[in-house]
Amino acid sequence: MVPPADFRSYYGHPIVRPAVWKHDIAAYLFTGGLAAGSALLAAGGDATGRPALRRAGRTTALGALVASTYFLINDLGRPERFHHMLRVAKPTSPMSMGTWILSAFGAAAGVAAVAEAAPLLPDRGVTGLARKLLPPLGTAGQYGAAAVAPALATYTAVLLADTATPSWHAAYPELPFVFAGSALASGDGFGLIAAPPEQAGPARRMAVFGAAMELYGAHRVETGKGLLSEPYAQGRPGKLLRAGRALTAAGVAGAILGRRSRVVSALSGLSLLTASLATRFGIFEGGVASAEDPRYTVVPQRERLAARNAEPEDSPGR
């Protein structure tokens, strides 16, 4: 009788190729989420008559988008590669769709942010005409960016889960919740920093909702994937995700308890921003770690094969 084979790999080499992305992409995950959350913040502030939230959301959305574009192009290596991806639209490719989402969001968010400068323009001549036209164009751009924001916040989760990286692929149901919640929490965190407490009510409520969504999704990723949750709980990824949880909880507490204090609101907003950054880097590094260790590829595959072989012959799955 031949004994059951133990786990082993070819000289310990990875079985799947680790993602070639560097930390530029981890930063891109954060700034893209911040841009999406800020666009929703701007729309909420405008709809409820809170100009400080509107200004903070519009300017932050554009600034974060510029940073996202830089990180993406820097990772691509050559700027023209971004342009080349716009030559086709492939619905089955998250990267292709993400490029178009980023471009559409950028056009809308750019118009909305530029419109904030309308009151600074002279009211005569061509500049006077621009002063009149920019506010309605900015409003249209603002709501256009808000409409695209959910796709911008979550398409990167689909992008990661669509790879062969074991711990990213296994977390495909939860990653959109993590990224959407993180985007809301970070965007509204910046609103808590920039807006006075009397105007920050919508930002406070949306931040709490986003933080709850992020914590739920991250908990499922870290505990509900069996062996493939290990990379998120160990080493540097584990430290980052634990720090993200602690900072998120502190930010939520400050947002709720510091409703009348500008200092406490600002500190809670900073905590939420830092938590989102730590969470994105933790998810990124956890996936990379799972691809580098062949155990996370082979063991789940053997478990799935054993489960299929144990099914009855007439079961629906066979």
Side-chain angles (χ1 to χ4, degrees):
M1 295 293 292
V2 178
D6 295 329
F7 162 75
R8 63 181 62 184
S9 68
Y10 187 72
Y11 293 104
H13 289 281
I15 293 175
V16 298
R17 179 176 295 180
V20 298
W21 299 324
K22 305 301 181 184
H23 282 99
D24 284 330
I25 293 300
Y28 169 71
L29 300 178
F30 167 70
T31 53
L34 176 59
S38 298
L40 294 172
L41 174 73
D46 190 40
T48 57
R50 291 173 168 85
L53 283 184
R54 184 199 70 223
R55 285 192 297 270
R58 287 182 177 184
T59 54
T60 305
L62 180 60
L65 179 74
V66 171
S68 293
T69 305
Y70 165 77
F71 289 130
L72 180 58
I73 291 177
N74 192 54
D75 184 78
L76 290 173
R78 298 207 309 267
E80 62 269 21
R81 288 178 176 173
F82 183 85
H83 169 264
H84 294 342
M85 287 193 293
L86 292 172
R87 298 166 71 176
V88 296
K90 189 175 180 181
T92 57
S93 168
M95 181 64 79
S96 175
M97 290 296 97
T99 304
W100 283 98
I101 290 169
L102 190 66
S103 301
F105 181 90
V111 171
V114 169
E116 287 297 317
L120 303 177
L121 298 176
D123 57 0
R124 295 182 180 180
V126 177
T127 56
L129 179 62
R131 180 171 178 161
K132 293 179 181 179
L133 293 178
L134 278 176
L137 289 175
T139 300
Q142 164 192 279
Y143 287 110
V148 180
L152 179 64
T154 56
Y155 98 86
T156 47
V158 179
L159 179 64
L160 295 185
D162 198 44
T163 67
T165 302
S167 289
W168 286 343
H169 186 72
Y172 74 90
E174 292 84 14
L175 282 182
F177 288 96
V178 178
F179 283 23
S182 179
L184 278 177
S186 61
D188 293 303
F190 195 87
L192 292 174
I193 296 173
E198 59 271 15
Q199 292 194 32
R204 190 173 295 110
R205 290 187 288 272
M206 288 178 65
V208 172
F209 176 74
M213 187 186 301
E214 177 186 348
L215 288 173
Y216 165 76
H219 175 74
R220 292 282 302 162
V221 168
E222 294 174 58
T223 62
K225 303 302 170 185
L227 180 67
L228 294 178
S229 288
E230 274 189 8
Y232 297 119
Q234 300 175 350
R236 181 178 170 85
K239 293 178 181 178
L240 286 168
L241 289 171
R242 286 191 293 272
R245 283 199 303 272
L247 288 167
T248 298
V252 169
I256 294 173
L257 301 176
R259 289 175 291 181
R260 297 182 180 180
S261 171
R262 183 67 181 267
V263 174
V264 175
S265 292
L267 288 174
S268 66
L270 180 62
S271 182
L272 290 170
L273 278 170
T274 311
S276 178
L277 181 64
T279 299
R280 301 295 180 124
F281 270 77
I283 292 291
F284 179 83
E285 294 196 7
V288 172
S290 74
E292 292 175 345
D293 189 339
R295 183 166 62 100
Y296 296 119
T297 300
V298 175
V299 173
Q301 286 180 345
R302 290 181 175 176
E303 290 175 348
R304 290 193 294 270
L305 180 61
R308 284 198 297 268
N309 290 337
E311 291 179 359
E313 289 292 335
D314 58 347
S315 65
R318 293 187 69 88

